Amino acid sequence: MSELPLLTTDRLRLRGLLDSDAAQILAIRSNAEVNKYLDRPNDTTIDQALSFINKIKAIVSGGEGLYWGITLKDKEELIGSICYWNLEPTNKKAEIGYELHPDYHGQGIMQEAISAVLAFGFNDQYFELITACPKQGNESSVRLLKKTGFSLTGDFTDEETKSKYLDFRLTKADYLTRLS
């Protein structure tokens, strides 16, 4: 899929990234609270943010992932992102990832965004399994995943970073059961 669809909820628009999002991308990717549970270097310049946006555009256009910027419906300013990556089309499987600027934490925004992206993944992409792998200790992400129907199935250690991660899964069957 090379065309990323616009997804909307009651309060949110999930859309592709724009070059004009560079300042907001930088604000998110350089934020210590956002990066606390992510194994990545902080972006520190607009050029790094633009490079990231271009990388994401190439991934989406190449069908290697799906990546939405999250905005409030009545504003263009990016407040977070949500994506599918580690796509395994033959296994009908993908991993979900997300980040939200701390100014918007605790408002149910990411739960709303995840709900829209899960519906798209199970209904339009025909995924049978969606996984999520938050870093151990990221309790807000754990609560969010449990609220949206994911089940904890175990943990693992990333050999490169030596960080411990939790393995959450949501099957299409469990998702549909939850909706009924």
Side-chain angles (χ1 to χ4, degrees):
M1 159 181 244
S2 60
E3 187 66 29
L4 187 69
L6 173 69
L7 303 178
T8 59
T9 69
D10 288 343
R11 298 182 294 167
L12 307 174
R13 286 181 50 232
L14 283 63
R15 58 161 174 80
L17 290 183
L18 308 169
D19 289 350
S20 59
D21 292 326
Q24 287 84 25
I25 287 289
L26 180 58
I28 293 167
R29 292 180 59 84
S30 65
N31 185 282
E33 182 67 23
V34 171
N35 290 328
K36 184 176 181 180
Y37 297 107
L38 299 173
D39 287 324
R40 69 173 183 213
N42 291 351
D43 283 357
T44 58
T45 68
I46 287 290
D47 284 344
Q48 288 174 315
L50 281 168
S51 177
F52 174 76
I53 290 169
N54 289 328
K55 174 180 148 187
I56 294 303
K57 286 178 180 180
I59 287 169
V60 171
S61 68
E64 299 171 49
L66 302 163
Y67 191 103
W68 291 270
I70 302 170
T71 69
L72 298 175
K73 254 188 177 171
D74 58 347
K75 296 183 178 167
E76 276 298 310
E77 181 179 308
L78 196 76
I79 62 172
S81 66
I82 189 164
C83 67
Y84 281 127
W85 64 299
N86 287 337
L87 301 180
E88 295 181 25
T90 54
N91 296 325
K92 298 182 178 180
K93 177 181 172 186
E95 183 176 340
I96 196 169
Y98 44 83
E99 58 191 358
L100 186 66
H101 194 279
D103 289 352
Y104 298 92
H105 286 182
Q107 300 175 34
I109 288 171
M110 195 52 74
Q111 185 174 350
E112 196 171 320
I114 284 178
S115 295
V117 170
L118 289 176
F120 177 77
F122 286 127
N123 299 327
D124 297 297
Q125 293 296 290
Y126 308 105
F127 295 145
E128 293 292 328
L129 175 65
I130 297 172
T131 63
C133 301
K135 200 171 195 179
Q136 197 166 39
N138 188 345
E139 293 305 317
S140 60
S141 192
V142 167
R143 283 190 304 275
L144 175 65
L145 291 167
K146 287 179 177 178
K147 274 185 195 174
T148 52
F150 284 80
S151 298
L152 178 62
T153 60
D155 60 40
F156 63 94
T157 301
D158 180 284
E159 293 307 315
E160 188 177 316
T161 64
K162 304 298 183 212
S163 296
K164 260 202 131 104
Y165 289 87
L166 302 173
D167 186 17
F168 279 87
R169 294 171 180 256
L170 178 61
T171 65
K172 185 173 186 174
D174 288 342
Y175 171 78
L176 293 173
T177 298
R178 218 175 127 80
L179 290 181
S180 54

